[in-house]
Amino acid sequence: MRVTVLGACGAWPEADQACSGYLVERDGFRLLLDVGYATFPRLLRRLPATALDAVLVTHGHPDHCADLNPLLRARALAERPPPPLPVYAPRDALTAVLALDRPGMLESAYRLREFTPGAAFRVGPFAVATVDLPHHWPNAGYRLSAGGAVLAYTGDTGPSERVVELGRDAEVLLAEATYPERVPEPDAAFLTSAGDAARQATRAGARRLVLHHLWPGTPPEAALRAAAEHFAGPLAVARSDMVVDL
């Protein structure tokens, strides 16, 4: 399994970084995990829009799903449109982004497969388990398994034992860490610090911890310092163009 970071910024994209988007590949199957602001142009550096096989979206905040619109436009308006793209998301998460164009314009470009977090299903070579995680908007954490490798991805979440469940013995836990040490009120129940992400990764027994969704302007070194106090394994901050092999 190979994971390529298209973007990992929280809230909005920085000048040289996109928001959440991760290209996950296995046996020639190409899956996009979230598709936030500015991720689509970075995807096109690696493959045409028509070559993508599936999309998984954690929740409906635009820094995780806004670039679904140009992705679907590129497929719907292609000279030779590909088959409909399977798009998986929690129920009603994509209502707003799918309504950006005139009714019916994009319908041939996708097949929406909504689910309730807690569901499990297969997508190509991946066994996918989902976990309901606390956030301002219903958010599904994803656990992708293939060939003995496990990638756990939180999307956005407050501190929760369900993150520990999600990341149990994962080779890589890709964990939200919007703030280095403390999440200010009133977001404390709905977002995670780097320190909390590290504590949860340790309890989960995750082998590697990759932090994502830092607040724009946050020095990566601050997040790494806070996490290193609580996690002894390999540690990194996700940045555009990073590649992680599992």
Side-chain angles (χ1 to χ4, degrees):
M1 192 189 308
R2 168 165 286 191
V3 182
T4 301
V5 180
L6 304 180
C9 281
W12 66 86
E14 294 188 273
D16 297 314
Q17 300 290 326
C19 285
S20 295
Y22 303 89
L23 179 63
V24 186
E25 300 173 90
R26 166 86 182 181
D27 298 335
F29 191 92
R30 294 154 165 175
L31 180 153
L32 189 55
L33 188 56
D34 274 344
V35 56
Y37 295 125
T39 55
F40 182 56
R42 292 181 175 274
L43 176 70
L44 293 179
R45 293 179 183 175
R46 294 161 178 83
L47 58 118
T50 54
L52 197 63
D53 295 301
V55 174
L56 304 181
V57 174
T58 55
H59 66 291
H61 283 152
D63 55 330
H64 292 259
C65 69
D67 269 24
L68 182 63
N69 176 262
L71 169 61
L72 295 181
R73 275 183 158 239
R75 292 173 68 98
L77 302 175
E79 184 176 351
R80 294 183 179 178
L85 180 68
V87 178
Y88 297 79
R91 199 170 307 280
D92 298 326
L94 300 179
T95 301
V97 72
L98 291 175
L100 289 174
D101 274 298
R102 69 176 185 270
M105 177 178 167
L106 301 180
E107 284 184 0
S108 64
Y110 69 94
R111 290 290 178 268
L112 182 59
R113 298 178 178 176
E114 295 183 312
F115 63 88
T116 300
F121 44 86
R122 289 201 68 86
V123 181
F126 301 102
V128 180
T130 67
V131 176
D132 183 18
L133 296 177
H135 190 47
H136 298 287
W137 189 293
N139 177 83
Y142 285 102
R143 183 180 172 93
L144 276 60
S145 304
V150 175
L151 168 69
Y153 174 56
T154 64
D156 292 352
T157 178
S160 172
E161 283 302 311
R162 282 171 280 177
V163 176
V164 177
E165 172 190 343
L166 181 76
R168 182 74 64 196
D169 297 324
E171 185 167 342
V172 174
L173 173 58
L174 185 54
E176 182 247 311
T178 304
Y179 297 92
E181 296 177 349
R182 186 182 67 84
V183 179
E185 294 292 346
D187 293 326
F190 305 111
L191 293 171
T192 305
S193 71
D196 282 334
R199 292 183 188 94
Q200 293 175 147
T202 296
R203 292 203 302 276
R207 296 186 185 93
R208 285 187 276 174
L209 175 61
V210 179
L211 306 173
H212 79 101
H213 201 270
L214 275 61
W215 192 257
T218 301
E221 297 78 13
L224 290 171
R225 282 195 302 269
E229 294 182 13
H230 307 285
F231 183 76
L235 181 63
V237 170
R239 303 289 286 176
S240 295
D241 301 321
M242 177 189 290
V243 175
V244 180
D245 287 312
L246 286 72

